[in-house]
Amino acid sequence: MAEAEDLVAAIEAVEEKLAQAKSSITKRFVGQEQVVDLTLSALLCSGHALLIGLPGLGKTRLVETLSTVMGLHGNRIQFTPDLMPADILGSEVLETSEDGTRAFRFLPGPVFCQLLMADEINRASPRTQSALLQAMQEKVVTVAGENRSLGKPFSVLATQNPIEQEGTYPLPEAQLDRFLVKIDVTYPDRDTEREILLSTTGAIEEEAHAVFTAEELLQAQVLLRRMPVGDSVVETILDLVRACRPDDVTAPQSVKDSVSWGPGPRAAQALMLTVRARAMLQGRLAPSSEDVIACAQPVLSHRMGLNFAARARGDSLDGLIADVAASVSGVEAAA
């Protein structure tokens, strides 16, 4: 009983700090509450996020603000076609000491941080993109045959321009699957854009302040995994993920007709974590089926692919996921 009470108290304390963090973030990143929640969810889950949006929508500003608010050491890499793996990971240089002896010294690259912004990640060559795979999955990189640990915590927030495809290299499915969530950053509504204009073009601009430390975020990540999840939510997650696989007997006809490949077990793991994060961000002690519906699109959309016939018909993967999520849960998706 005492242990349960301690868990509740710890969760409530983290939820209070998260509310303060969101308030600080929105001083510099106006509106887009769902985008803020999903990026915070990625950090709480010790995961990575892929932000999809046109230039000028504040993606870089959001990542910089998150780094400040969450108390993390952040680095930024602008991906270009001529970027090499060593530009990300670092390299060894031969140095000569005063006594004439020579030795190799490792110069760490920008990946050695706690929050890495990979800007326009699809502009780098596949060879360079693959340099992030080990870092994202294992939080370790191997350089010159030696494993080197990255910062703790460590998360990658990568950006992509959905329109510009010339001179880009689409991320392979194996790397897309490493991202906990895919976040669509869209145009703000008129009132939000008015607030952005007024708050960012004056003589004085709002500043974000640190709310968390790196150690406090690590503790929150451990606490999130202790948050209870009801059997009904677990079953909803399993039903949803399996229903999105075209070769599964539980898949609806719409999935069998339209989907080429579906989500794997890592998608179910991601849903288990993100529904907890969403509940924590909203000040609740346990997730519900509504959280599964809300998290379905950002967790599953980059882990599925439409077949040729569906693309020719102009089918929407997001709409398909929303329909399947609503059918397996009995809860209507939010507009």
Side-chain angles (χ1 to χ4, degrees), residues 90-96 102-108 143-144 148:
S91 59
E92 287 192 325
V93 296
L94 184 63
E95 289 188 333
T96 303
R102 293 183 175 184
F104 283 100
R105 182 167 70 92
F106 177 67
L107 297 178
V143 181
R148 302 177 188 273

Side-chain angles (χ1 to χ4, degrees), residues 16-177:
E16 183 178 345
K17 288 184 72 70
L18 286 171
Q20 297 173 18
K22 288 177 63 176
S23 176
S24 183
I25 291 169
T26 53
K27 289 180 180 179
R28 298 195 74 242
F29 188 77
V30 180
Q32 302 275 26
E33 182 178 356
Q34 185 181 18
V35 174
V36 173
D37 283 352
L38 286 171
T39 49
L40 281 174
S41 295
L43 297 184
L44 285 171
C45 299
S46 188
H48 315 290
L50 181 63
L51 289 85
I52 309 293
L54 295 169
L57 294 179
K59 300 184 295 296
T60 302
R61 186 184 185 90
L62 171 62
V63 179
E64 291 174 348
T65 304
L66 277 170
S67 179
T68 299
V69 172
M70 306 307 287
L72 302 176
H73 167 52
N75 279 333
R76 178 176 180 267
I77 303 174
Q78 179 65 52
F79 280 70
T80 57
D82 60 347
L83 195 72
M84 298 297 290
D87 298 326
I88 298 173
L89 305 180
S91 59
E92 287 192 325
V93 296
L94 184 63
E95 289 188 333
T96 303
S97 63
E98 294 181 357
D99 60 3
T101 59
R102 293 183 175 184
F104 283 100
R105 182 167 70 92
F106 177 67
L107 297 178
V111 74
F112 287 88
C113 63
Q114 294 170 322
L115 183 62
L116 177 68
M117 180 176 185
D119 206 1
E120 293 188 296
I121 189 173
N122 57 329
R123 288 202 176 278
S125 67
R127 179 184 178 189
T128 303
Q129 291 174 6
S130 66
L132 277 179
L133 275 176
Q134 184 185 20
M136 292 172 65
Q137 183 63 27
E138 302 173 21
K139 313 297 175 72
V140 170
V141 296
T142 303
V143 181
E146 183 177 345
N147 290 337
R148 302 177 188 273
S149 298
L150 302 177
K152 292 186 178 181
F154 176 75
S155 289
V156 174
L157 299 182
T159 70
Q160 274 191 200
N161 181 342
I163 301 298
E164 182 60 57
Q165 298 300 323
E166 185 176 351
T168 64
Y169 302 85
L171 294 177
E173 288 77 9
Q175 187 157 354
L176 283 173
D177 200 30

Side-chain angles (χ1 to χ4, degrees), residues 217-232:
L217 179 56
L218 284 170
Q219 293 171 1
Q221 291 173 350
V222 173
L223 187 64
L224 178 130
R225 291 174 177 265
R226 296 177 58 199
M227 177 181 278
V229 179
D231 288 343
S232 62

